[in-house]
Amino acid sequence: DSGVTQTPKHLITATGQRVTLRCSPRSGDLSVYWYQQSLDQGLQFLIQYYNGEERAKGNILERFSAQQFPDLHSELNLSSLELGDSALYFCASSVDPGGGETQYFGPGTRLLVL
Amino acid sequence: DAKTTQPNSMESNEEEPVHLPCNHSTISGTDYIHWYRQLPSQGPEYVIHGLTSNVNNRMASLAIAEDRKSSTLILHRATLRDAAVYYCILRISNFGNEKLTFGTGTRLTIIP
């Protein structure tokens, strides 16, 4: 158990819909990262927040957005969903940013868009 | 980001040592070498990391070549629970660039 929690575990929805994925980082971790894992693209970095502020953006679509709240939990919002958005979404956290810091990953949310 | 090259797959017998290679010929002086693994149906899990010297922890050892252009993750005695995809990742140690860039990794199969 990494200490990072993600809800829900599974999500099935239809094209065009909007969903929210939630992540609670490990106690004391200020940095949260979101990753998407699909069969054809592998694990890809989406976005990073540090202590409530956006720090880095990766290959995140404009239909997707995220935020980190004062209690440090984070939400990833996916809207106008398409079939290709079906994937595993992982959240990770670390104490603070830095190349030597370990990232701790949650169990993921499996999203299926029908 | 500097690129890493790993074999797509490897097999090893249970209770034998496993050496997982990684080439990173374009590594820069400030890049840390990280290894993560992903067990089936789970999120990635940190294994070990290093900068220049060899490193040991309870999970594995990391041997880094003197020129830092390659490294080897060593599992001293593989068990069935070590079957996973192993990712070798380079990370720059400056703020604003802390993401992990995953390649395709090496799928390790353990033979009972």
Side-chain angles (χ1 to χ4, degrees):
Chain A
D1 183 359
S2 67
V4 178
T5 60
Q6 289 187 249
T7 56
K9 282 188 83 168
H10 303 276
L11 201 47
I12 302 174
T13 188
T15 54
Q17 295 297 304
R18 173 190 167 95
V19 297
T20 297
L21 312 183
R22 183 188 167 103
C23 167
S24 293
R26 291 188 327 150
S27 177
D29 284 1
L30 299 178
S31 213
V32 169
Y33 310 76
W34 286 97
Y35 294 84
Q36 178 193 56
Q37 185 171 34
S38 59
L39 278 173
D40 54 346
Q41 295 285 329
L43 263 161
Q44 301 237 319
F45 167 73
L46 294 178
I47 197 164
Q48 176 197 358
Y49 279 81
Y50 174 67
N51 204 20
E53 300 287 327
E54 182 185 303
R55 181 183 277 291
K57 251 182 175 173
N59 300 323
I60 187 166
L61 300 171
E62 282 192 18
R63 300 184 284 109
F64 296 1
S65 65
Q67 56 185 135
Q68 187 180 27
F69 295 87
D71 67 353
L72 300 177
H73 90 271
S74 178
E75 292 181 357
L76 180 67
N77 300 297
L78 315 176
S79 61
S80 303
L81 284 167
E82 301 175 0
L83 296 177
D85 297 328
S86 296
L88 266 166
Y89 292 84
F90 291 105
C91 166
S93 72
S94 66
V95 172
D96 56 36
E101 285 294 328
T102 298
Q103 290 187 17
Y104 296 89
F105 283 78
T109 293
R110 186 176 294 276
L111 173 67
L112 182 59
V113 182
L114 299 175
Chain B
D1 294 333
K3 204 172 154 66
T4 62
T5 305
Q6 299 176 253
N8 286 334
S9 62
M10 288 183 66
E11 284 186 354
S12 180
N13 293 318
E14 197 178 6
E15 298 189 5
E16 289 188 359
V18 182
H19 291 238
L20 296 163
C22 180
N23 285 320
H24 28 78
S25 57
T26 58
I27 192 170
S28 72
T30 53
D31 286 345
Y32 283 84
I33 302 161
H34 283 246
W35 284 81
Y36 281 73
R37 72 180 185 181
Q38 188 172 19
L39 279 64
S41 302
Q42 294 189 29
E45 172 188 34
Y46 168 79
V47 177
I48 200 166
H49 79 278
L51 186 60
T52 55
S53 307
N54 294 344
V55 184
N56 300 298
N57 66 20
R58 64 173 180 80
M59 286 181 72
S61 296
L62 177 60
I64 301 173
E66 204 169 320
D67 63 4
R68 301 212 324 130
K69 292 182 189 287
S70 66
S71 61
T72 302
L73 178 70
I74 303 164
L75 307 179
H76 294 287
R77 201 163 156 265
T79 69
L80 295 177
R81 287 177 299 175
D82 292 320
V85 178
Y86 286 79
Y87 297 96
C88 170
I89 299 166
L90 301 183
R91 294 182 72 195
I92 303 168
S93 60
N94 60 341
F95 287 145
N97 193 13
E98 301 90 18
K99 68 181 185 294
L100 292 171
T101 301
F102 290 86
T104 52
T106 296
R107 183 173 297 278
L108 177 64
T109 301
I110 305 298
I111 302 166

